[in-house]
Amino acid sequence: MNVKKQMIKLTQIVPFLASILVGYLIGVFESNAEATYNNLPYLLGTIVFPMIVGIFLGLEDAIKEWRREGKLRFNYIMFLLFTVIPLLGVINYYFIGLKIIPGLHELFGSIYFNWTIMIISGFYFIRSFYKEKE
């Protein structure tokens, strides 16, 4: 029982520490982008690192789900709706910049909105795995 309490505390502390690390790394990438005019590491960091924080936030529930009896499954609909589509919106804004859907470019124009979307995407990505009773 003591190990479970330690695991729960660890899964609550890791997202906090990861968010501090993410903020620091994105700051380093941003200053590097300003100095070298190479924006690619900064742009990838603003997509990947917040998604990792979202994965850490959903990790506690995912571990509980994975410990249950049953066969591991993947919820494709949740993955597509909450991970792939927002990721495509962020990639469209950063790399392509096309205005295919009116208002989409303006919606993804805020870096903080994009970080929030990527954190939510990471959370739902890890939650897409579940166990089904046989």
Side-chain angles (χ1 to χ4, degrees), residues 33-76:
E34 290 174 355
T36 63
Y37 298 105
N38 183 8
N39 289 334
L40 186 61
Y42 171 68
L43 295 177
L44 290 177
T46 57
I47 292 173
V48 172
F49 289 134
M51 196 164 188
I52 291 171
V53 170
I55 288 172
F56 280 130
L57 288 173
L59 194 60
E60 182 178 355
D61 292 331
I63 289 172
K64 288 179 186 176
E65 181 72 24
W66 296 342
R67 288 184 176 168
R68 289 182 21 193
E69 293 291 325
K71 188 173 182 180
L72 188 63
R73 298 280 186 189
F74 187 73
N75 189 344
Y76 295 103

Side-chain angles (χ1 to χ4, degrees), residues 3 7-8 25 36-37 45 73 95-96 99 112 120 131:
V3 173
M7 180 59 106
I8 290 172
L25 289 175
T36 63
Y37 298 105
R73 298 280 186 189
F95 295 108
I96 302 171
K99 296 183 179 181
Y112 300 109
I120 293 169
K131 285 220 175 160

Side-chain angles (χ1 to χ4, degrees), residues 1-37:
M1 191 70 169
N2 193 13
V3 173
K4 286 184 181 181
K5 287 183 182 179
Q6 288 176 349
M7 180 59 106
I8 290 172
K9 289 179 183 177
L10 182 65
T11 57
Q12 292 170 348
I13 292 172
V14 168
F16 175 71
L17 295 176
S19 63
I20 292 172
L21 179 65
V22 165
Y24 173 74
L25 289 175
I26 289 177
V28 168
F29 287 152
E30 184 177 17
S31 64
N32 186 27
E34 290 174 355
T36 63
Y37 298 105

Side-chain angles (χ1 to χ4, degrees), residues 26 42-43 46 93-94 108-117:
I26 289 177
Y42 171 68
L43 295 177
T46 57
Y93 172 73
Y94 280 132
F108 286 96
S110 168
I111 189 73
Y112 300 109
F113 179 76
N114 291 340
W115 287 352
T116 306
I117 290 294

